[in-house]
Amino acid sequence: QDLEQGQSREQPWRQHAAPMHQQYIAPQLAVWQSIEHQRQQLHQHGQMLQQELVLQEALMQQQLQHQEQLLHLQLQQREQQLQLQLQIHIRQQQQRQQAPPQPVTEVVMVDQHGQPLILRQLFAESGVTQTIVWNDDGSHWAFGERTVTSLLDNNVDQTNAWVASLSDRQLHGLVHELARRFVEGSQRRKQRQADDETQRVSSSYDFFGLREEATDKELDNAYRRLARAMHPDKNGGTDEAKEAFQAMKERYELLKEHRAGGLGRGGPGGEGDGRADGESEASGQAQQQQQQPTCISYDPSDRQSLHQAASEFVRQLHVLQQDASCMHQQAGKGGA
């Protein structure tokens, strides 16, 4: 209003406003300018942060894409490796199924160059064994189960005639096969006898109602109790009562000898085998010969020695065959 009234009052107002501007407005203006400057700095800093975040996000996306591609490539390589391993395994399985099993080979005789002339083969899966002999003309002979069976079925004259027709090398291979079968058969017979002994001892303990840990006194008491109950005089004196009493007594003697550390008399032809007296007496001498250790030696370079050894091995294999048949029949009777 003072400015509208004229220039006369303009100068005093200017003089009055200047100090007010310096005292009030100028400090506020400085504060505002400082705030504005800080706002601009913050705005610039925010823009820089935003740009940095955008760059970092782009960089992270690139890294993630790179890692994803790398992982995908590794998975593809691993899948290819597994497929290759699977194909190799399938191929190996097919080869094993197609290829016949390789036998275990024992070289018996070689020539001057180290080439095998006689060898024995064992097929583990089937248990088949045979001795192969290579002849000078390149052919070969095989002595196996059918050869041994034929020798056991033929008579002595037929066997000797056939053996005489063999060459020295063929006879050597035949004797080797017979010798190995005799050793294997003897081991099986020994194992059968041990199993039979164990079974009869166990059944005898069950017969007396005892365990193997029972004392000798408990065994004696059980025997006396059954002896009084099974005595033939108390059971009519019949043959059946006498046989039952004798069988009980043989079981007792078997356990006593077994507990004393002996081999027992439970082998075929011994006491307690369940055979009649006539049968035991008839086979007693043959059984005694079977239990004697047999040692058959021969000279591979001597044809007469090989021929004698072949005849003896055939005879011993006959004994083993009869013994196995006898034990099988006894086992059938015991099971019945």
Side-chain angles (χ1 to χ4, degrees):
Q1 291 177 359
D2 292 341
L3 292 175
E4 294 177 357
Q5 292 176 4
Q7 298 293 331
S8 59
R9 299 180 63 181
E10 180 178 356
Q11 189 66 27
W13 180 84
R14 289 179 176 274
Q15 293 177 356
H16 180 70
M20 293 180 61
H21 179 271
Q22 295 177 356
Q23 183 177 0
Y24 297 105
I25 298 177
Q28 293 180 2
L29 182 59
V31 171
W32 179 82
Q33 291 176 348
S34 176
I35 293 173
E36 182 65 17
H37 179 68
Q38 292 179 0
R39 188 187 66 79
Q40 292 178 357
Q41 289 181 345
L42 290 174
H43 180 69
Q44 293 177 356
H45 185 66
Q47 290 180 345
M48 293 175 61
L49 289 177
Q50 187 175 3
Q51 293 177 356
E52 184 177 357
L53 288 174
V54 172
L55 292 175
Q56 290 181 356
E57 184 177 359
L59 181 61
M60 290 179 63
Q61 288 180 354
Q62 292 179 357
Q63 292 178 350
L64 289 175
Q65 291 177 356
H66 178 70
Q67 291 179 358
E68 184 178 358
Q69 293 176 355
L70 182 61
L71 181 60
H72 183 67
L73 181 61
Q74 291 177 351
L75 289 175
Q76 287 182 344
Q77 292 177 352
R78 182 58 178 168
E79 184 178 0
Q80 292 176 356
Q81 291 177 356
L82 291 175
Q83 290 179 353
L84 181 60
Q85 292 177 359
L86 180 60
Q87 292 176 358
I88 294 174
H89 179 72
I90 293 175
R91 191 178 301 112
Q92 290 176 350
Q93 290 292 335
Q94 292 176 349
Q95 291 176 355
R96 292 192 188 99
Q97 293 176 358
Q98 295 175 359
Q102 296 298 322
V104 179
T105 302
E106 173 195 358
V107 178
V108 181
M109 180 181 178
V110 297
D111 60 10
Q112 57 183 356
H113 303 292
Q115 296 299 322
L117 296 177
I118 302 176
L119 58 85
R120 191 170 193 259
Q121 295 178 333
L122 167 61
F123 295 89
E125 293 185 357
S126 61
V128 175
T129 58
Q130 60 181 1
T131 297
I132 308 296
V133 179
W134 271 269
N135 302 315
D136 294 333
D137 58 359
S139 62
H140 67 275
W141 280 38
F143 300 107
E145 183 66 28
R146 289 189 298 177
T147 304
V148 176
T149 302
S150 177
L151 289 174
L152 295 178
D153 292 339
N154 293 333
N155 55 42
V156 177
D157 295 335
Q158 292 175 334
T159 299
N160 290 333
W162 182 77
V163 171
S165 66
L166 300 176
S167 66
D168 293 348
R169 188 183 304 168
Q170 293 169 353
L171 182 56
H172 184 187
L174 173 64
V175 171
H176 181 78
E177 180 65 24
L178 294 175
R180 292 300 303 270
R181 288 180 177 267
F182 169 68
V183 172
E184 295 167 357
S186 299
Q187 292 174 349
R188 288 193 297 268
R189 181 182 65 179
K190 184 177 180 181
Q191 184 61 43
R192 287 195 303 266
Q193 290 175 345
D195 295 341
D196 180 70
E197 177 76 14
T198 302
Q199 182 180 3
R200 291 191 309 107
V201 167
S202 178
S203 63
S204 296
Y205 276 113
D206 295 338
F207 179 82
F208 287 104
L210 300 173
R211 297 184 302 175
E212 294 187 8
E213 297 80 8
T215 62
D216 293 340
K217 184 177 181 180
E218 292 175 339
L219 176 60
D220 294 338
N221 292 335
Y223 168 70
R224 295 189 186 97
R225 182 175 61 255
L226 288 179
R228 288 192 297 268
M230 299 177 62
H231 197 277
D233 295 342
K234 294 184 178 181
N235 293 274
T238 61
D239 294 338
E240 291 79 5
K242 293 179 181 179
E243 291 178 359
F245 182 82
Q246 183 64 25
M248 183 274 297
K249 183 179 179 181
E250 290 173 353
R251 287 180 180 272
Y252 171 72
E253 293 175 352
L254 170 67
L255 291 180
K256 293 292 287 186
E257 188 168 355
H258 175 74
R259 295 168 72 91
L263 296 178
R265 293 177 292 178
E271 291 185 357
D273 61 358
R275 294 188 295 185
D277 295 339
E279 184 180 357
S280 299
E281 184 178 356
S283 61
Q285 184 177 0
Q287 184 64 36
Q288 185 176 3
Q289 294 177 357
Q290 293 174 17
Q291 294 177 353
Q292 295 298 326
T294 303
C295 179
I296 304 175
S297 60
Y298 59 90
D299 183 3
S301 61
D302 186 356
R303 181 176 181 85
Q304 183 178 0
S305 176
L306 289 172
H307 197 156
Q308 293 176 355
S311 300
E312 181 62 21
F313 280 128
V314 171
R315 190 182 70 81
Q316 292 294 335
L317 288 173
H318 264 297
V319 173
L320 290 176
Q321 187 182 54
Q322 294 173 359
D323 182 58
S325 177
C326 180
M327 295 185 68
H328 181 72
Q329 292 176 1
Q330 292 175 20
K333 292 179 181 179

